[in-house]
Each structure stands twice: as C-alpha cells, then as structure tokens.
C-alpha cells in the first residue's frame, strides 16, 4: 500500500522544530510512519506525553483536511491519524531496524525527510532482503540522532 500525498508528513507538518526539537521520520514496516523528536531524558513521563498531545493537536489544527486525532477509522474520512498513544504507559513502538512479523519481513527503516517525496514510498518498502543494501548505500541516517536531543 503506497502512501498517498496527503499521508506524507512534510516540513509544514513539523511543529516540533519550532520548539527547537529536531524531528526524524521512519517507516513502521507496517502501515505508517513514525515521527520522533529526541529528548534529553530530563522531562518526566507525564510532561512528554502532554507535549506529544499538544504537538499532535497543533498539527491537526494546521491541516484539518489531511490530519486528525480521531481514533475511530470510520470518522477519519481518509485523513492521517496522528497517534500519540505510543506515548503512554506500557505502549510500544517498533524500534529502528526492527523486522516486523508480516509477509515479506518488512523492516522499520529510518528515512531522510526528502525521501517522503518519493511517490513509490510504502511503509513496508524496506525488508530483510533490501535493508542491508540501503544501509550500504546511505548508512544509518539516524546515526547522530542522539546529538540532537533537547529538553522540552
């Protein structure tokens, strides 16, 4: 399943950067994309969760035709669901380079933002068969992610 243009985060959908936080994107290896802002671990769990919810609400307000916080699929009307539930106690998200338990063994792959412009991009594009070719070609595009960690 390809990502429709409206399903691709872009610069205008990156309010974390206005907060002096760098934003990184990766495929999930399943059905979507994850956006991550590295933090310096000083904020507590509740502060981080509240911040994620604020950013999500701001995003949804900036582009309500394409983005939503609506959990129910039947109420999304084709819009991208901004899911902050991964920022809750005991919730998990696929880490970078995790092989997903799906047909073809897709891998959660870190991306460069410009890669979202590729009309052939799919959340499951990278697999156990081609991820090493990608790494050979591009290296780990999240290699220096921790250098960007900031306080909330």
């Amino acid at each position: 399943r390809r990502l429709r243009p409206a399903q691709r985060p872009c610069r205008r959908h990156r309010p974390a950067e206005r907060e002096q936080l760098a934003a990184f994107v990766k495929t999930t290896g399943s059905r979507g994309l994850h956006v991550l802002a590295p933090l310096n671990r000083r904020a507590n769990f509740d502060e981080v969760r509240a911040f994620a919810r604020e950013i999500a609400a701001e995003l949804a307000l900036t582009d309500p035709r394409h983005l939503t916080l609506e959990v129910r699929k039947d109420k999304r009307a084709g819009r991208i669901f901004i899911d902050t539930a991964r920022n809750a106690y005991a919730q998990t998200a696929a880490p970078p380079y995790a092989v997903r338990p799906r047909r073809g063994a897709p891998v959660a792959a870190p991306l460069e933002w410009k890669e979202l412009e590729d009309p052939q991009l799919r959340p499951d594009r990278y697999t156990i068969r081609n991820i090493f070719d990608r790494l050979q070609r591009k290296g780990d595009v999240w290699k220096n992610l921790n250098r960007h960690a900031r306080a909330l």
Side-chain angles (χ1 to χ4, degrees):
R1 171 179 97 126
R2 287 195 179 94
L3 294 167
R4 295 186 312 273
Q7 292 176 296
R8 298 168 191 278
C10 63
R11 286 219 176 265
R12 70 189 172 114
H13 292 150
R14 290 163 62 181
E17 289 184 341
R18 287 200 305 275
E19 301 288 335
Q20 304 299 313
L21 294 175
F24 294 82
V25 65
K26 72 175 180 69
T27 66
T28 61
S30 183
R31 293 185 291 261
L33 300 169
H34 284 167
V35 176
L36 175 134
L39 301 176
N40 66 5
R41 300 182 181 179
R42 292 199 174 97
N44 68 38
F45 173 80
D46 291 326
E47 292 168 328
V48 172
R49 181 177 51 193
F51 178 75
R53 288 178 177 164
E54 286 174 28
I55 291 291
E58 182 181 334
L59 276 172
L61 286 173
T62 63
D63 191 358
R65 281 188 39 225
H66 297 112
L67 305 172
T68 184
L69 299 175
E70 180 57 58
V71 176
R72 293 180 49 138
K73 284 184 181 181
D74 62 333
K75 294 194 176 192
R76 292 183 201 160
R79 295 174 293 169
I80 301 169
F81 173 48
I82 304 170
D83 183 2
T84 60
R86 301 304 99 204
N87 296 296
Y89 182 75
Q91 295 298 305
T92 61
Y97 305 108
V99 178
R100 304 304 303 274
R102 301 175 65 85
R103 175 183 241 164
V107 173
L111 301 174
E112 295 173 314
W113 282 99
K114 65 185 176 186
E115 292 179 88
L116 297 179
E117 298 167 12
D118 181 350
Q120 301 301 310
L121 180 65
R122 298 167 44 104
D124 60 356
R125 169 188 263 177
Y126 298 104
T127 69
I128 196 69
R129 292 178 188 251
N130 63 17
I131 193 66
F132 295 103
D133 292 337
R134 175 184 170 76
L135 286 167
Q136 190 91 47
R137 209 173 52 255
K138 288 190 165 281
D140 180 359
V141 298
W142 280 17
K143 178 180 171 185
N144 297 315
L145 180 132
N146 287 338
R147 290 184 187 166
H148 297 277
R150 300 286 182 267
L152 281 184

